[in-house]
Amino acid sequence: MLLSAVEYARPSTVEDAVRLLSAHDGARALAGGQTLTNVMKARAAAPDVLIDLNGLDELRTISRPGDGSLELGAMTTLSQMIRSSEVAEARPILGEVASQIADVQVRNRGTIGGNICSNDPTNHLPPLVAALGATMTIHSDDGERTVTSDEFFVGVYMTAVGPGELLTRITIPAAAGAKDGFASIPIGRDGTCIVNAAATVTDGQARIGLGCVAATPLLVTSATGESAVREAVRGAGLDPPSDVHASADYRKHLSEIVASRAVEAAA
């Protein structure tokens, strides 16, 4: 199905982008377009103005501040993350997970900011940035504010980025001895996941981000043993949806398995 008529703008600075987003109630930011254009074709969304962010090279940077953290511009593509020496040195799990997303065409266009801002419960990156304890920098006419990953994910397709605001940066804290892992049960080789889990392990304790089981990534903390992880997941009060791919009970069962695998991969 063809797109409905829509106004189009391509700002050259973050300030211009924020100004355009603030000036139009029905404006939407266009990053890689992997989700938004399909939603528009299905007539599930009809923005008045598309604000194309692909001219904002300032949002494609990857850097390592002096504190050992990793800063990713929101328009950093998945392919950039896979190739980046900074990512490989700081938190290689980011590149490893990015390489599992869809196919090379999607990875060349898709961005980390678009992936987490769409907050599709089946996406790979929301549970990963949640497990890593990332912080997100959001820009508006009033300046910048920073929110934690716990605050960022609000609901299905909903985040803390409000009208007239733009996600500009994702900051991953220094590993400081932590090890990271990821596991998933995908729908087909390049498909989205039935259940996925990311884990970061420090001194025998695991912080686990579960995906595909709730409207937002579900965080669970546990000791690293398999029985402890399974018990922690069972005690998290999972209430996942049922769909054509899996029943709610099967997703609960898979959650224990992928959480254990993610922690094992990390440890």
Side-chain angles (χ1 to χ4, degrees):
M1 185 180 293
L2 296 177
L3 294 175
S4 299
V6 61
E7 291 187 38
Y8 172 85
R10 188 180 174 96
S12 57
T13 67
V14 167
E15 288 70 23
D16 286 342
V18 169
R19 177 180 55 80
L20 287 165
L21 288 166
S22 300
H24 301 277
D25 291 338
R28 291 288 297 273
L30 177 69
Q34 308 298 316
T35 299
L36 181 57
T37 52
N38 286 323
V39 169
M40 291 173 64
K41 286 179 181 179
R43 302 295 193 265
D48 298 327
V49 184
L50 282 181
I51 312 299
D52 188 347
L53 306 179
N54 282 278
L56 304 181
D57 290 340
E58 60 191 295
L59 297 186
R60 294 193 188 278
T61 59
I62 301 175
S63 61
R64 297 286 309 280
D67 62 359
S69 62
L70 177 70
E71 291 188 350
L72 302 164
M75 287 296 290
T76 300
T77 66
L78 306 178
S79 291
Q80 279 181 273
M81 291 165 57
I82 294 167
R83 298 191 303 264
S84 168
S85 58
E86 291 92 344
V87 170
E89 181 181 355
R91 302 304 281 260
I93 192 67
L94 287 159
E96 294 169 14
V97 174
S99 70
Q100 300 174 30
I101 297 175
D103 53 35
V104 67
Q105 292 93 338
V106 169
R107 294 192 290 269
N108 285 342
R109 288 286 299 177
T111 66
I112 182 173
N115 190 282
I116 66 174
C117 279
S118 65
N119 195 28
D120 184 324
T122 65
N123 280 357
H124 293 62
L125 296 183
L128 177 57
V129 299
L132 295 178
T135 57
M136 287 58 157
T137 301
I138 299 169
H139 197 98
S140 71
D141 283 335
D142 297 326
E144 288 187 340
R145 62 188 178 96
T146 300
V147 300
T148 66
S149 53
D150 297 345
E151 302 165 319
F152 183 79
F153 300 106
V154 176
V156 178
Y157 308 128
M158 297 173 62
T159 69
V161 181
E165 293 186 322
L166 184 67
L167 175 69
T168 56
R169 186 169 64 252
I170 298 94
T171 302
I172 311 295
K179 302 296 183 182
D180 310 313
F182 184 84
S184 67
I185 306 293
I187 303 167
R189 184 178 182 276
D190 297 321
T192 55
C193 302
I194 299 175
V195 177
N196 59 24
T200 183
V201 172
T202 308
D203 297 329
Q205 292 294 309
R207 175 182 165 103
I208 306 163
L210 282 170
C212 315
V213 295
T216 62
L218 181 65
L219 282 173
V220 178
T221 57
S222 168
T224 54
E226 180 179 355
S227 60
V229 172
R230 284 177 171 263
E231 183 177 354
V233 172
R234 281 195 298 270
L238 299 188
D239 186 22
S242 295
D243 58 24
V244 295
H245 302 296
S247 67
D249 285 342
Y250 189 48
R251 274 198 169 88
K252 289 181 182 179
H253 172 66
L254 289 181
S255 295
E256 295 182 30
I257 293 173
V258 296
S260 300
R261 290 177 180 174
V263 171
E264 182 180 6

